Amino acid sequence: MSAEDSNPAATPTPCVDIQGDGRWISMHNRFVSDSKDKEPDVLFVGDSLVQLMHEFGIWRQLFSPLHCLNFGVGGDATQHVLWRLTNGELDNISPKVVVLWVGTNNHGHTAEQICGGIMAIIQVIKNKLPNAHTLVLGLLPRGKMPNPLRERNANVNKLVQDALTSLPHASFLDVDPGFVLSDGSISHQDMYDYLHLTPHGYKAVCEPLHAHVKSMLDKPTDN
């Protein structure tokens, strides 16, 4: 039995169609189809925080000019992204940078399992896109006041950061501009439901992220 078999967060799993409208698999199929006639320099992949970024002006302003493609799906956990990437979403593109933001939806998984899931995704990206660099974004705090999921997300970030120190093809970026205020609360002006970002919250995350991605694209490659 491999480590992946014992870690549900690192086992490629399609999202269960609880609602019965087939939206998740339809989005996956659209991404596979979209990739066939696109040549992105940057691919964003992850959950709703990635997906919703596409809906705001900040995407058109900062990321569209960098030739970015957005493969975000609301509700995705690491095992769902792993399934999508192993089933065609990377097969027709060759981005220079893959921005990965996933893990906050891994309900019932430990920080160690979520880190294992993120590392499994990085390995799939490495296998399918050997010349791409994966930029893993740190999980944001969540909930209005301190809670166990905030602690878990912070632990995931520590584990991932440590795991990436020895990998030349992946790096970690903490994109939290300081959403937790001095009293331990998160403002609804930054996260309207204490999980998803407002336009103001996206601006705080995306401006430094854009600068970082741009500097990665501007670096001469070794190839």
Side-chain angles (χ1 to χ4, degrees):
M1 185 159 120
S2 75
E4 285 190 7
D5 293 331
S6 57
N7 180 2
T11 306
T13 311
C15 193
V16 179
D17 185 20
I18 297 169
Q19 295 170 331
D21 58 4
R23 280 188 312 119
W24 187 85
I25 197 70
S26 298
M27 288 183 73
H28 164 68
N29 290 336
R30 177 167 66 81
F31 293 155
V32 173
S33 172
D34 275 358
S35 68
K36 288 178 180 165
D37 58 358
K38 299 272 171 47
E39 293 181 2
D41 286 330
V42 185
L43 172 67
F44 281 74
V45 67
D47 54 34
S48 57
L49 288 168
V50 171
Q51 182 183 9
L52 294 172
M53 195 187 288
H54 199 250
E55 305 304 314
F56 289 89
I58 200 101
W59 178 269
R60 291 184 294 281
Q61 179 193 337
L62 296 181
F63 295 117
S64 292
L66 298 184
H67 303 107
C68 297
L69 209 48
N70 187 311
F71 286 177
V73 178
D76 262 16
T78 53
Q79 66 271 21
H80 305 128
V81 168
L82 202 50
W83 189 92
R84 292 199 281 121
L85 297 190
T86 52
N87 284 277
E89 290 187 14
L90 300 180
D91 291 1
N92 301 292
I93 50 176
S94 53
K96 296 168 187 166
V97 177
V98 179
V99 179
L100 175 64
W101 207 8
V102 71
T104 199
N105 293 322
N106 279 72
H107 307 302
H109 296 161
T110 65
E112 288 75 15
Q113 287 175 321
I114 298 167
C115 175
I118 290 169
M119 297 310 292
I121 294 169
I122 291 168
Q123 188 59 51
V124 168
I125 295 168
K126 174 67 177 163
N127 293 347
K128 287 183 174 280
L129 304 171
N131 297 319
H133 187 94
T134 303
L135 180 64
V136 182
L137 305 188
L139 302 184
L140 295 177
R142 53 182 290 164
K144 183 176 181 182
M145 299 305 294
N147 62 83
L149 288 185
R150 263 198 216 175
E151 289 170 36
R152 186 203 66 181
N153 282 6
N155 288 335
V156 170
N157 290 346
K158 285 197 201 87
L159 291 168
V160 171
Q161 206 165 359
D162 289 346
L164 292 183
T165 50
S166 59
L167 294 186
H169 56 86
S171 55
F172 179 88
L173 183 65
D174 180 4
V175 290
D176 178 9
F179 284 132
V180 177
L181 305 175
S182 56
D183 65 354
S185 71
I186 288 174
S187 168
H188 66 88
Q189 293 177 336
D190 291 323
M191 297 183 185
Y192 58 86
D193 60 355
Y194 309 106
L195 172 64
H196 297 99
L197 295 166
T198 62
H200 181 264
Y202 269 118
K203 188 171 190 289
V205 163
C206 289
E207 286 182 346
L209 171 58
H210 169 263
H212 191 84
V213 170
K214 194 164 183 322
S215 72
M216 293 172 75
L217 292 174
D218 289 344
K219 264 189 204 154
T221 57
D222 300 329
N223 302 328

